[in-house]
Amino acid sequence: SYVLTQPPSLSVAPGKTARITCGGNNIGGKSVHWYQQKPGQAPVLVVYEDSDRPSGIPERFSGSNSGNTATLTISRVEAGDEADYYCQVWDIITDHVFGTGTKVTVL
Amino acid sequence: EVQLVESGGGLVKPGGSLRLSCAASGSTFSNAWMNWVRQAPGKGLEWVGRIKSKTDGGTTDYAAPVKGRFTISRDDSKNTLYVQMNSLKTGDTAVYYCTTSKWLRGSFDYWGQGTLVTVSS
């Protein structure tokens, strides 16, 4: 089955840049989506199809995807960005797969 | 924008059954592919299954852990999605979310607030 690996946690100071990685075999050949989930809330789509942003998502959120790693970048991090972040792809064998999740802490 | 509201969660004994519903607002429900995604307490997200729009065949697909036990259906006249869960196991304990998507490789665009299912004796 297809597996997506994320770092369990990441700490970043306000105003700095957070880069959250999502590793998978030849993930560069797939379409990657990213979700933000705050405690007690449902996930929210923040980046789709590698690098597009839904309406209402700040430009501070951006994505890239190449080789075996996809990356969600949060620029000028704010306290409100503290959340769990999940990557997700569709695989022809496994169907929809979510990454293991990364907890982002704003210092 | 689509709004989704799940209901039907609760406490059920192992081996029991439960049916969850997801009521959708907006006129685009019939064109949407609908999915169930679950999250066990303190754990990550897990895709459960999907039903395509009737215009795309209305077929269903399931994740391996629930195949043969869960059945997803939809009533487009009521803008409602369902999942019938049978032979429940303690490992099915989770918050269940309904979500929309546009196509197979597409993202999960809209999410409900979730409903908690607890399987315990």
Side-chain angles (χ1 to χ4, degrees):
Chain A
S1 64
Y2 194 78
V3 176
L4 295 174
T5 303
Q6 300 180 235
S9 62
L10 180 67
S11 296
V12 58
K16 299 298 186 182
T17 298
R19 293 183 180 85
I20 305 165
T21 58
C22 175
N25 185 36
N26 194 28
I27 195 174
K30 300 182 183 301
S31 189
V32 181
H33 318 296
W34 290 91
Y35 304 87
Q36 174 194 69
Q37 186 180 32
K38 296 182 179 179
Q41 297 184 20
V44 171
L45 179 68
V46 292
V47 166
Y48 66 98
E49 293 177 12
D50 296 343
S51 58
D52 289 332
R53 275 186 313 278
S55 170
I57 300 300
E59 290 183 9
R60 300 185 299 103
F61 289 83
S62 62
S64 62
N65 183 21
S66 179
N68 293 318
T69 305
T71 303
L72 175 69
T73 300
I74 311 173
S75 304
R76 301 180 300 283
V77 165
E78 303 174 356
D81 298 332
E82 190 162 282
D84 294 328
Y85 291 83
Y86 295 91
C87 56
Q88 176 251 319
V89 301
W90 179 83
D91 174 71
I92 195 168
I93 304 256
T94 313
D95 216 307
H96 289 291
V97 181
F98 285 96
T100 47
T102 298
K103 181 177 183 63
V104 170
T105 300
V106 180
L107 300 171
Chain B
E1 180 166 329
V2 176
Q3 295 206 345
L4 303 170
V5 179
E6 301 92 338
S7 60
L11 175 64
V12 61
K13 288 182 167 50
S17 298
L18 204 61
R19 187 177 85 154
L20 307 182
S21 301
C22 169
S25 67
S27 59
T28 58
F29 178 80
S30 62
N31 295 327
W33 292 24
M34 299 299 299
N35 302 261
W36 289 98
V37 173
R38 69 184 181 182
Q39 185 170 37
K43 302 297 184 182
L45 301 170
E46 180 186 25
W47 177 76
V48 171
R50 111 182 109 250
I51 185 166
K52 297 179 182 178
S53 64
K54 288 218 170 22
T55 55
D56 288 319
T59 55
T60 53
D61 294 283
Y62 301 92
V66 307
K67 198 167 187 177
R69 300 187 299 121
F70 288 16
T71 302
I72 297 174
S73 61
R74 63 191 298 160
D75 185 338
D76 290 347
S77 68
K78 295 182 179 178
N79 278 8
T80 302
L81 172 74
Y82 304 97
V83 58
Q84 176 68 42
M85 305 186 295
N86 298 330
S87 304
L88 282 162
K89 307 175 181 180
T90 56
D92 294 319
T93 294
V95 173
Y96 285 73
Y97 297 99
C98 64
T99 75
T100 64
S101 59
K102 292 189 183 70
W103 63 307
L104 206 54
R105 292 176 179 79
S107 54
F108 300 123
D109 302 326
Y110 297 100
W111 296 66
Q113 87 289 350
T115 187
L116 175 63
V117 172
T118 303
V119 184
S120 174
S121 54

